Amino acid sequence: RKEVEQDPGPFNVPEGATVAFNCTYSNSASQSFFWYRQDCRKEPKLLMSVYSSGNEDGRFTAQLNRASQYISLLIRDSKLSDSATYLCVVNKMDSNYQLIWGAGTKLIIKP
Amino acid sequence: GAVVSQHPSWVICKSGTSVKIECRSLDFQATTMFWYRQFPKQSLMLMATSNEGSKATYEQGVEKDKFLINHASLTLSTLTVTSAHPEDSSFYICSAKSLASGRGFTGELFFGEGSRLTVL
């Protein structure tokens, strides 16, 4: 089983719609969780951290379910510019700086 | 925000040659830099962690004699792919953690733009 698993997609979504992705992780002792965004052939960029109580940043909402070991990302009122691959990232329990990356979920927003 | 510059952005080389990739932190000191490799449609795979002034720590399965890492200063780390072969063709990305971040890790690693290596 992969340490961090994501549905690769692609998710084809009309502009303005709401879309959600899930990500599951295998290590119950993981402490930190993040969503990164990666555009085609570009480096990843931090989208948002995921806090235990859930957190929101504009149109983006992240939630953590420790019992089921999954993280979710919800995008409301999707824009064409949201098209990208979204990477779920979890820290290794033996290091605060080393991260385990999911393979990403590809999102395509259509006009 | 912090900037990490990676060079070259793409390189094509013949099988058997060595390729050096540089990663520079432009406006901050990076005590720790990470080197990743990403194959198409796959996740980022950590290759090694490099700490300034000490030997790099390689992940399991990564050949340290093939992927030479040098982190001689707080602003520069280099990855040299020695005797490259077609199977080494990949997207190599470096990232850095700022010295100024203190103890807490926010999750924000600053990434270079990546180097796409094609070995013929």
Side-chain angles (χ1 to χ4, degrees), chain A residues 28-110:
Chain A
S28 61
S30 297
Q31 296 295 320
S32 306
F33 310 90
F34 313 94
W35 284 103
Y36 272 73
R37 169 193 170 130
Q38 186 175 23
D39 293 293
C40 187
R41 294 176 178 263
K42 298 285 187 180
E43 74 277 17
K45 294 184 179 178
L46 180 65
L47 179 65
M48 60 196 303
S49 301
V50 184
Y51 302 124
S52 298
S53 55
N55 49 297
E56 189 174 304
D57 182 2
R59 299 182 292 108
F60 299 85
T61 301
Q63 291 195 316
L64 168 63
N65 185 318
R66 286 190 185 273
S68 302
Q69 293 179 209
Y70 78 81
I71 308 144
S72 65
L73 177 67
L74 180 81
I75 305 175
R76 290 184 300 277
D77 187 24
S78 53
K79 312 290 184 190
L80 294 176
S81 57
D82 294 333
S83 297
T85 296
Y86 290 84
L87 305 169
C88 172
V89 188
V90 176
N91 84 312
K92 281 177 85 168
M93 64 171 291
D94 57 353
S95 167
N96 281 328
Y97 305 153
Q98 294 188 7
L99 307 175
I100 306 298
W101 297 74
T105 297
K106 187 171 184 177
L107 173 65
I108 300 171
I109 305 298
K110 297 187 171 181

